Amino acid sequence: MEHDCTTESVAGATLVTVRVRNEAPVPRRVRVRNELPGPVLPPRREGVPERGWDESGFEGVLDAGEERALGYACPVASEDDRPVSVASLGRDEAERAADRENEAIRALGRARPPADAVPVPGGSLARDSLPDDAGGAATSDDARRGDEADGTHVDDTHADEDASERSVSEEASDGRDRGPRPPAVASWLDAVETRVRLAERLTDATATDAAAVLETAGDVSGLPSTVDADETTLRTVAARASELADRAAETDAGPTVDSLVAL
Amino acid sequence: MILAVAGGKGGVGKSTLAFELGAATGAVVVDADVGMADLPTGPGPDLHDVLAGRASAVEAVREDGPVTLLPCGRSLAGARAADVGRLGEALRDVERAYGDAVVDCPAGMRADAGVPLAVADACVVVASPRPYALADAVRTRELARELDAGLVAVAVNRAVDDPPEAVFEEVLGAPAVTVPADPRVARAVETGRPVCRVAPSSRAGRAISSLARAVDRCSRA
C-alpha cells in the first residue's frame, strides 16, 4: 500500500490529507491510523462520520489499482512529518456489512427543529441587527451545521453576517499582534472593531460601497450613535487602563511577598 | 422482534394501529415520532430523555397503562436535543428487556423515519384506501426494502367500502389487511380501550387480530 500525506495547520488544528494507492492487482483492505497526539475529527454527514471512520482513523477496501483521497482534522498543532501510519490488512473482496442505522441518518438527514425555532428560557430570539460579535458568525454557522447532541445550544447571533464580512474581520485580526487580552475584553474589543470598521467603510463611501455594506450588514440606522458611544467608552477605558498600568508599574510587592512566603 | 409501523403519509392511523398491535401482541409500543408524538405520555422520563442520554430506555417504559408504552416528549427543545442515532440502541434495549417492541414511526422520509426501519426486523405499512396514499405507501415500502425491514403486511386503514386489496397486494408485494373504519378504533388511544380487547369480534377487532397473527407468524418464522 503506497501513500503520501500532507498536513496544513489552521487555527491550532492540523488538517491531514492522505492519498492511499492500492498498487496490487487485487482489492485490499487498508487501515489508516492517526499518529498525531489528538483525536480524529472525521468527515461527517448529518453529524455521522462517513463510512469507515472511527476514533483512530479510517478502514476500508480499495479496489485493484484504486487511489483514494482521505482527509481529517486533528485539533492539535503539529509539525509531525508522519501524521498517519498506513497498513494493508490483506486481500479483502468487499466492504463489510454497512451500519444501516448510520447509513439511514447519512442518507436521509436528521429531522430536528432548527436551533432558531427552539425557545430558550429567559432568552430572546430577536437580536439587535447591528453585528455586535465578531466571532458570532462562526457560532451561528456551527448551529446550522447540526451541532452534535447539544440541544441547549443558543444561536445568539444574526444570520445576516456573511462570508465577505467575516473574511474582512479575519484579515484584520490576523494582521496585528495585540498581545494577551482577557476573553471578555477581547470579545468587546472585537465587537467595537467590527462596528468601527463598518463606520470606516461608510465614511465618504460611494453609493456602490454603501450598497455593498448594506447588503452584508443589514440595518445600519443605529450605527453612528453606537460608534459615538463606543468612542467615549474607549477613551474612558484607555484613560483608566493607562492609569492602572502606571500604578502597576510603581508597585514592588516582590520582597514583602517573598518574606511572607518564607514564613 | 422489533416491528416498525410505518407509512409515508401522516394521519393514516400509524399511531392507532401501533397501539392496537401492542395491545394484541403484548409488545411494548415505542412512540418514535420524536418531533410530533401523539401517544399518551405522563410524568417521568420519555424517549426524548433517552435519545438525549438522560435516561435508559427501559426506565422510560410505562407499564401501568392499557398498553406497555415508551412515550415520547412533545417539546421542541426535547426534539432538538434528541439524537436519532441513539434510537437503535434504545429499541434493542427494550427488545432485550420485554421481548417485542412495536415502533410507531413518524411520517416522512427523514432519518427519524428511516432509523426505526433500519433497526426493525419487520414492518407493517399503513395506507389509507385512497389513490394518493398508495404512492406514499410505495415510497415507504421502498425505503423499508433498502433498509432491510421485511414487509409483514399492508394495513389498509379506515376503509369505508371494500378497498381494492388486490391492488395494494400487487403493488406492495405483501398481504393486505383491511381495517374498517370504526369510531372505537379512532378513540382507542384517547380512551385507553384497544378495540382488539374491548370488541374482539367487531370487524375492526378481527382485522387487528389478523394483523397481529401475521406479525406473530413472521416473528416465529
Side-chain angles (χ1 to χ4, degrees):
Chain A
M1 220 42 100
E2 286 178 21
H3 76 279
D4 50 60
C5 185
T6 57
T7 59
E8 189 185 345
S9 281
V10 178
T14 307
L15 306 180
V16 184
T17 314
V18 194
R19 296 160 77 86
V20 192
R21 278 175 306 279
N22 174 19
E23 72 284 7
V26 291
R28 285 196 297 172
R29 179 166 286 273
V30 64
R31 173 89 218 169
V32 177
R33 187 181 293 278
N34 175 38
E35 301 289 346
L36 294 175
V40 173
L41 305 179
R44 289 170 183 271
R45 198 171 297 168
E46 297 291 338
V48 178
E50 291 283 7
R51 186 191 292 184
W53 287 91
D54 55 29
E55 306 80 48
S56 60
F58 172 84
E59 188 176 321
V61 173
L62 263 63
D63 281 338
E66 186 187 346
E67 172 170 334
R68 184 147 347 151
L70 304 165
Y72 67 95
C74 189
V76 293
S78 169
E79 296 300 314
D80 197 338
D81 56 347
R82 268 182 50 89
V84 294
S85 65
V86 175
S88 167
L89 303 182
R91 185 168 177 171
D92 204 334
E93 288 303 329
E95 293 282 356
R96 296 202 178 123
D99 172 5
R100 283 210 185 78
E101 289 154 56
N102 284 333
E103 205 66 31
I105 298 175
R106 277 193 286 260
L108 302 173
R110 287 172 195 264
R112 27 157 71 158
D116 313 22
V118 181
V120 282
S124 154
L125 293 175
R127 283 301 178 119
D128 185 3
S129 60
L130 282 179
D132 57 357
D133 182 355
T139 323
S140 72
D141 241 1
D142 287 346
R144 274 198 292 273
R145 219 171 282 138
D147 42 319
E148 289 300 300
D150 178 12
T152 54
H153 185 96
V154 183
D155 184 7
D156 58 358
T157 47
H158 237 21
D160 45 5
E161 291 169 299
D162 78 346
S164 67
E165 197 185 338
R166 218 155 48 225
S167 64
V168 171
S169 72
E170 273 160 15
E171 272 163 31
S173 36
D174 291 347
R176 234 172 299 158
D177 179 24
R178 287 177 288 195
R181 297 176 304 168
V185 174
S187 65
W188 173 66
L189 283 177
D190 284 345
V192 171
E193 188 174 7
T194 309
R195 287 194 287 270
V196 170
R197 189 178 307 115
L198 209 53
E200 282 169 353
R201 281 175 70 188
L202 285 170
T203 306
D204 302 325
T206 62
T208 333
D209 290 345
V213 171
L214 274 181
E215 259 175 40
T216 56
D219 181 18
V220 291
S221 55
L223 186 69
S225 58
T226 320
V227 172
D228 281 348
D230 281 340
E231 186 193 341
T232 319
T233 322
L234 283 168
R235 293 202 190 285
T236 317
V237 170
R240 178 117 171 87
S242 55
E243 185 199 330
L244 275 176
D246 291 345
R247 279 171 61 185
E250 280 172 23
T251 60
D252 183 20
T256 320
V257 170
D258 284 346
S259 53
L260 280 174
V261 169
L263 279 178
Chain B
M1 184 178 79
I2 300 175
L3 177 82
V5 178
K9 189 169 282 300
V12 292
K14 290 182 293 294
S15 300
T16 313
L17 281 187
F19 186 78
E20 291 283 352
L21 275 176
T25 61
V28 179
V29 179
V30 181
D31 189 351
D33 198 343
V34 174
M36 311 232 166
D38 46 11
L39 288 175
T41 182
D46 56 37
L47 191 66
H48 278 172
D49 298 309
V50 175
L51 297 187
R54 292 190 292 258
S56 81
V58 173
E59 71 180 323
V61 173
R62 315 286 160 85
E63 296 178 357
D64 49 353
V67 170
T68 313
L69 179 68
L70 199 172
C72 187
R74 306 186 177 195
S75 68
L76 272 177
R80 172 134 189 95
D83 177 7
V84 75
R86 291 196 170 105
L87 184 60
E89 199 46 50
L91 293 176
R92 282 187 289 270
D93 283 349
V94 170
E95 188 195 22
R96 267 195 296 277
Y98 288 90
D100 286 324
V102 172
V103 189
D104 175 22
C105 299
M109 295 296 240
R110 301 303 293 269
D112 52 343
V115 170
L117 286 172
V119 182
D121 304 301
C123 70
V124 167
V125 168
V126 183
S128 150
R130 316 233 174 244
Y132 59 77
L134 186 60
D136 288 314
V138 169
R139 279 193 281 272
T140 304
R141 199 267 175 283
E142 286 305 310
L143 185 63
R145 186 176 280 152
E146 237 167 74
L147 296 171
D148 208 22
L151 181 59
V152 174
V154 183
V156 185
N157 196 20
R158 277 193 222 128
V160 180
D161 310 313
D162 282 341
E165 271 190 9
V167 174
F168 279 95
E169 290 185 341
E170 188 189 322
V171 173
L172 299 171
V177 176
T178 301
V179 182
D182 187 326
R184 288 171 295 185
V185 176
R187 285 199 308 268
V189 172
E190 190 190 332
T191 58
R193 289 154 56 87
V195 170
C196 64
R197 283 203 199 132
V198 298
S201 56
S202 65
R203 287 180 64 207
R206 286 204 306 274
I208 288 158
S209 302
S210 102
L211 206 53
R213 277 197 303 278
V215 173
D216 200 38
R217 276 198 299 278
C218 168
S219 69
R220 273 186 280 123

Coordinates of all heavy atoms in Angstrom, one line a residue, chain B residues 28 30 45-47 49-51 54-62 69-71 86-95 97-98:
Chain B
V28 N -44.2 -3.9 23.7 CA -44.0 -2.6 24.1 C -44.2 -1.7 22.9 O -43.6 -1.9 21.9 CB -42.7 -2.3 24.7 CG1 -42.5 -0.9 25.2 CG2 -42.4 -3.2 25.9
V30 N -43.4 1.7 21.2 CA -42.5 2.9 21.3 C -42.9 4.0 20.4 O -43.1 3.8 19.2 CB -41.0 2.4 21.0 CG1 -40.1 3.6 21.1 CG2 -40.6 1.2 21.8
P45 N -39.4 10.1 32.7 CA -38.6 10.1 31.5 C -39.3 9.6 30.3 O -40.2 8.7 30.4 CB -37.4 9.2 31.9 CG -37.9 8.3 33.0 CD -38.9 9.1 33.7
D46 N -39.0 10.2 29.2 CA -39.6 9.7 27.9 C -38.5 9.5 26.9 O -37.3 9.6 27.2 CB -40.7 10.7 27.4 CG -40.2 12.1 27.3 OD1 -39.0 12.2 26.9 OD2 -40.9 13.0 27.6
L47 N -38.9 9.3 25.6 CA -38.0 9.0 24.6 C -37.0 10.1 24.3 O -35.8 9.9 24.0 CB -38.7 8.6 23.3 CG -37.8 7.9 22.2 CD1 -37.2 6.6 22.7 CD2 -38.5 7.8 20.9
D49 N -35.7 12.0 26.5 CA -34.7 11.9 27.5 C -33.7 10.7 27.2 O -32.5 10.8 27.4 CB -35.3 11.6 28.9 CG -36.1 12.8 29.4 OD1 -35.6 13.9 29.3 OD2 -37.3 12.6 29.7
V50 N -34.3 9.6 26.7 CA -33.5 8.5 26.3 C -32.5 8.9 25.1 O -31.4 8.6 25.2 CB -34.4 7.3 25.8 CG1 -33.5 6.2 25.3 CG2 -35.3 6.9 27.0
L51 N -33.1 9.6 24.1 CA -32.3 10.0 23.0 C -31.3 11.1 23.3 O -30.4 11.3 22.5 CB -33.2 10.3 21.8 CG -34.1 9.2 21.3 CD1 -34.8 9.7 20.0 CD2 -33.3 7.9 21.0
R54 N -30.2 11.1 28.8 CA -30.5 11.4 30.2 C -31.2 10.2 30.9 O -31.4 10.3 32.1 CB -31.4 12.6 30.3 CG -30.7 13.9 29.8 CD -31.6 15.1 30.1 NE -32.8 15.1 29.3 CZ -33.0 15.8 28.3 NH1 -32.1 16.7 27.9 NH2 -34.1 15.8 27.6
A55 N -31.7 9.2 30.2 CA -32.4 8.1 30.8 C -32.2 6.9 30.0 O -31.8 6.9 28.8 CB -33.9 8.4 30.9
S56 N -32.3 5.7 30.7 CA -32.2 4.5 29.9 C -33.6 4.2 29.3 O -34.6 4.6 29.8 CB -31.7 3.4 30.8 OG -32.8 2.8 31.5
A57 N -33.6 3.4 28.2 CA -34.8 3.1 27.5 C -35.8 2.3 28.4 O -37.0 2.6 28.5 CB -34.5 2.3 26.2
V58 N -35.2 1.4 29.2 CA -36.1 0.5 30.0 C -36.7 1.3 31.1 O -37.9 1.1 31.4 CB -35.2 -0.6 30.5 CG1 -36.1 -1.5 31.5 CG2 -34.8 -1.5 29.4
E59 N -36.0 2.3 31.7 CA -36.7 3.1 32.8 C -37.7 4.0 32.2 O -38.6 4.5 33.0 CB -35.7 3.8 33.6 CG -35.0 4.9 33.0 CD -34.0 5.6 33.9 OE1 -34.2 5.7 35.1 OE2 -32.9 6.0 33.4
A60 N -37.7 4.3 30.9 CA -38.8 5.2 30.4 C -40.0 4.4 30.0 O -41.0 5.1 29.6 CB -38.2 5.9 29.2
V61 N -40.0 3.1 30.1 CA -41.2 2.3 29.7 C -42.2 2.4 30.8 O -41.9 2.2 32.0 CB -40.8 0.9 29.4 CG1 -42.0 0.0 29.2 CG2 -39.9 0.8 28.2
R62 N -43.5 2.7 30.4 CA -44.6 2.7 31.4 C -45.4 1.4 31.3 O -45.9 1.1 30.2 CB -45.6 3.9 31.1 CG -44.9 5.2 30.7 CD -44.3 5.8 32.0 NE -43.3 6.8 31.6 CZ -43.6 8.1 31.3 NH1 -44.8 8.5 31.3 NH2 -42.6 8.9 31.0
L69 N -45.9 1.0 27.2 CA -45.6 2.1 26.3 C -44.4 2.9 26.7 O -44.1 3.1 27.9 CB -46.8 3.1 26.4 CG -46.8 4.4 25.5 CD1 -46.9 4.0 24.0 CD2 -47.9 5.3 25.8
L70 N -43.6 3.2 25.7 CA -42.4 4.1 25.9 C -42.9 5.4 25.1 O -42.8 5.4 23.9 CB -41.1 3.5 25.3 CG -39.8 4.1 25.8 CD1 -38.6 3.3 25.3 CD2 -39.6 5.6 25.5
P71 N -43.3 6.4 25.9 CA -43.8 7.6 25.3 C -42.7 8.5 24.8 O -41.6 8.3 25.1 CB -44.7 8.2 26.4 CG -44.0 7.8 27.6 CD -43.4 6.4 27.4
R86 N -29.2 7.4 18.6 CA -29.3 6.5 19.8 C -30.5 5.6 19.8 O -30.7 4.8 20.6 CB -29.4 7.4 21.1 CG -28.1 8.1 21.4 CD -28.2 8.6 22.9 NE -26.9 9.1 23.3 CZ -26.7 10.5 23.5 NH1 -27.7 11.3 23.2 NH2 -25.6 10.9 23.9
L87 N -31.4 5.9 18.8 CA -32.7 5.1 18.7 C -32.5 3.6 18.6 O -33.2 2.9 19.3 CB -33.6 5.7 17.6 CG -35.0 5.1 17.5 CD1 -35.8 5.4 18.8 CD2 -35.7 5.7 16.3
G88 N -31.6 3.2 17.8 CA -31.3 1.8 17.6 C -31.0 1.1 18.9 O -31.6 0.1 19.2
E89 N -30.1 1.7 19.6 CA -29.7 1.1 20.9 C -30.9 1.0 21.9 O -31.1 0.0 22.6 CB -28.5 1.9 21.5 CG -27.7 1.2 22.5 CD -27.3 -0.3 22.1 OE1 -26.8 -0.4 21.0 OE2 -27.6 -1.2 22.9
A90 N -31.7 2.1 21.9 CA -32.8 2.2 22.8 C -33.8 1.1 22.4 O -34.3 0.4 23.3 CB -33.5 3.5 22.7
L91 N -34.1 0.9 21.1 CA -35.0 -0.2 20.7 C -34.5 -1.5 21.1 O -35.3 -2.4 21.5 CB -35.3 0.0 19.2 CG -36.1 1.2 18.8 CD1 -36.3 1.3 17.3 CD2 -37.5 1.3 19.5
R92 N -33.2 -1.7 20.9 CA -32.7 -3.1 21.2 C -32.7 -3.3 22.7 O -32.9 -4.4 23.2 CB -31.3 -3.2 20.6 CG -31.3 -3.5 19.1 CD -29.9 -3.8 18.6 NE -29.1 -2.6 18.6 CZ -29.0 -1.8 17.5 NH1 -29.6 -2.1 16.4 NH2 -28.2 -0.7 17.6
D93 N -32.5 -2.3 23.5 CA -32.6 -2.4 25.0 C -34.0 -2.8 25.4 O -34.2 -3.7 26.2 CB -32.3 -1.1 25.7 CG -30.8 -0.8 25.7 OD1 -30.1 -1.7 25.4 OD2 -30.4 0.3 26.0
V94 N -35.0 -2.2 24.8 CA -36.4 -2.5 25.1 C -36.7 -4.0 24.6 O -37.3 -4.7 25.4 CB -37.4 -1.6 24.3 CG1 -38.8 -2.0 24.4 CG2 -37.3 -0.2 24.9
E95 N -36.2 -4.3 23.5 CA -36.4 -5.7 23.0 C -35.8 -6.7 23.9 O -36.4 -7.8 24.3 CB -35.8 -5.9 21.6 CG -36.2 -7.2 20.9 CD -35.3 -7.5 19.7 OE1 -34.2 -6.9 19.6 OE2 -35.7 -8.3 18.9
A97 N -35.3 -6.4 27.1 CA -36.0 -6.4 28.4 C -37.4 -7.0 28.3 O -37.9 -7.6 29.2 CB -36.0 -5.1 29.0
Y98 N -38.1 -6.7 27.2 CA -39.5 -7.0 27.1 C -39.8 -8.0 26.0 O -41.0 -8.4 25.8 CB -40.3 -5.7 26.8 CG -40.4 -4.8 28.0 CD1 -39.4 -3.9 28.2 CD2 -41.4 -5.0 29.0 CE1 -39.5 -3.0 29.4 CE2 -41.5 -4.2 30.1 CZ -40.5 -3.2 30.3 OH -40.6 -2.4 31.4

